[in-house]
Amino acid sequence: MKIITHGEIINMGITPKQCYDWVSEVIADKNDYVLPHKISLKYKEDGFYNTMPSILEKEGYFGAKVVNRYPDRKPALDSKLMLYDLKSGELKALMDANFITAMRTGAVAAHSINLLGKKDGNTIGIIGLGNTARAAVKVLAEVNKEKKYIIKLLEYKNQHELFKEELSSLYDNLSFEYVSTYESLIRGSDVVISAATYFENDIAAEDWFEKGVLLVPIHTRGFGVCDSVFDKVFADDTDHVAHFKNFFRFKKFGEVTDVVNGKIPGRETEEERIIAYNIGISLHDVYFALKIYNEFKGGTVIEMKQPEGKFWV
């Protein structure tokens, strides 16, 4: 069994373009895999343990990611992933999954923007300026190098300044604006990304959103007012959103994989207002983990075999 740490994954130099390619592959093949419900256990106030398993039968692997949240910890979220050989049941790797979580989530958001956004849309409003938002913008900027983006950042402490400082130093197709209210961020934006981890109530009015807008609420909360009035809603997996209180009020609903594979239409007009509820599924994590496992050289290897033959206690 290989143990692969966060630092070792970072040092592999995985690019945003690679992350985009990986999510594109697994989204297209989503229906070829086994994806059960994640198990979510609440722990104290606003804390949780989520266990997220899936099987990549074509590739011959099972994986399970465990995410926990402790609100007073910095960072609050942490995740680890186990990767098993499906044929033998051997545990092949135990790896840190924090890079995987951030980059696959950002890459999926970028994928939805490319798939469901307006063709000429280039103004993106972002709420929540942590790793997930940074990953989304990095992927967009790298995959669409020929396109110029205007990134509107909601002012929060000095995070908007740090966000601009890092991203503008990496990409010359990005320009930045600061805004001070949710309304000024949403109005005039072609895409609205919310990467804030928690909202107690809705934060927006439906009439703030322009015709043709794509709303990408990565952590789902804060935009319930839009659910029943937007023209279409898409998600990465039906079962993972079917419990939403407004699920049966969606005008039209479908899975992103079915749009990719031409089974249902995505955006049909430049005036449709669309929501992409890609809340994150373990298939993406396990697929990333397998790519990392196959490409990773070196690291710590320990032997963890099962007992030989029958044993008694």
Side-chain angles (χ1 to χ4, degrees):
M1 177 187 72
K2 283 187 179 181
I3 297 177
I4 308 176
T5 67
H6 173 73
E8 288 168 333
I9 293 173
I10 294 296
N11 289 336
M12 290 177 68
I14 298 166
T15 68
K17 176 62 164 58
Q18 282 179 286
C19 294
Y20 186 83
D21 290 342
W22 292 348
V23 298
S24 297
E25 291 163 8
V26 74
I27 288 170
D29 294 340
K30 185 246 182 187
N31 291 327
D32 295 333
Y33 299 130
V34 178
L35 176 67
H37 285 286
K38 69 180 178 183
I39 300 170
S40 186
L41 301 176
K42 303 299 181 183
Y43 178 70
K44 296 185 177 179
E45 186 177 0
D46 296 331
F48 62 75
Y49 277 81
N50 288 346
T51 304
M52 304 169 62
S54 59
I55 293 175
L56 308 181
E57 192 162 6
K58 291 189 302 180
E59 290 82 1
Y61 284 86
F62 166 87
K65 187 177 83 167
V66 176
V67 185
N68 63 37
R69 183 178 191 271
Y70 284 74
D72 296 332
R73 182 178 61 192
K74 295 187 181 299
L77 291 172
D78 182 53
S79 55
K80 301 292 184 283
L81 190 146
M82 295 179 293
L83 188 66
Y84 286 83
D85 182 291
L86 193 58
K87 181 179 289 187
S88 67
E90 180 185 356
L91 178 60
K92 304 298 289 186
L94 171 63
M95 66 180 71
D96 189 273
N98 288 291
F99 173 87
I100 293 173
T101 300
M103 288 306 301
R104 66 86 157 144
T105 307
V108 170
H111 181 278
S112 287
I113 292 168
N114 280 345
L115 181 69
L116 301 170
K118 295 193 299 184
K119 290 180 181 178
D120 61 349
N122 70 336
T123 301
I124 301 176
I126 303 178
I127 303 166
L129 303 177
N131 275 329
T132 301
R134 290 172 187 235
V137 175
K138 285 181 177 181
V139 174
L140 271 180
E142 187 164 311
V143 171
N144 304 311
K145 291 180 178 179
E146 76 292 342
K147 189 168 185 175
K148 302 290 186 181
Y149 289 102
I150 301 168
I151 309 296
K152 297 167 66 176
L153 304 177
L154 184 69
E155 294 175 350
Y156 181 71
K157 298 180 179 179
N158 69 333
Q159 288 186 13
H160 53 291
E161 295 167 338
L162 295 174
F163 193 101
K164 176 184 176 180
E165 181 180 346
E166 179 190 359
L167 275 294
S168 60
S169 69
L170 297 174
Y171 302 100
D172 59 9
N173 57 338
L174 303 176
S175 61
F176 294 87
E177 299 177 0
Y178 300 151
V179 296
S180 59
T181 66
Y182 294 133
E183 182 174 0
S184 57
L185 182 133
I186 291 168
R187 289 192 184 275
S189 292
D190 301 306
V191 177
V192 175
I193 299 174
S194 172
T197 57
Y198 181 78
F199 292 117
E200 186 172 352
N201 300 300
D202 283 349
I203 63 165
E206 174 267 330
D207 62 1
W208 296 356
F209 294 87
E210 310 286 346
K211 291 182 178 180
V213 71
L214 173 66
L215 173 60
V216 186
I218 292 172
H219 295 290
T220 73
R221 295 191 180 190
F223 301 92
V225 68
C226 300
D227 288 345
S228 62
V229 294
F230 272 40
D231 299 289
K232 293 176 180 175
V233 178
F234 296 95
D236 42 21
D237 180 70
T238 303
D239 289 343
H240 281 71
V241 298
H243 66 284
F244 285 13
K245 67 178 182 179
N246 292 329
F247 180 77
F248 291 104
R249 299 177 65 196
F250 297 159
K251 289 183 177 180
K252 290 184 179 179
F253 173 78
E255 290 193 1
V256 174
T257 186
D258 290 332
V259 178
V260 170
N261 290 300
K263 295 181 179 179
I264 60 174
R267 176 175 292 278
E268 295 179 278
T269 75
E270 294 296 275
E271 295 190 346
E272 285 180 320
R273 295 190 297 178
I274 295 173
I275 304 175
Y277 275 130
N278 293 313
I279 65 173
I281 55 178
S282 61
L283 289 177
H284 306 155
D285 300 295
V286 177
Y287 196 79
F288 269 47
L290 179 57
K291 292 289 188 179
I292 290 169
Y293 173 76
N294 287 336
E295 295 182 16
F296 180 72
K297 308 299 180 186
T300 302
V301 179
I302 66 172
E303 193 169 1
M304 188 178 287
K305 291 184 177 180
Q306 69 181 89
E308 295 183 3
K310 177 85 172 165
F311 74 97
W312 301 98
V313 295

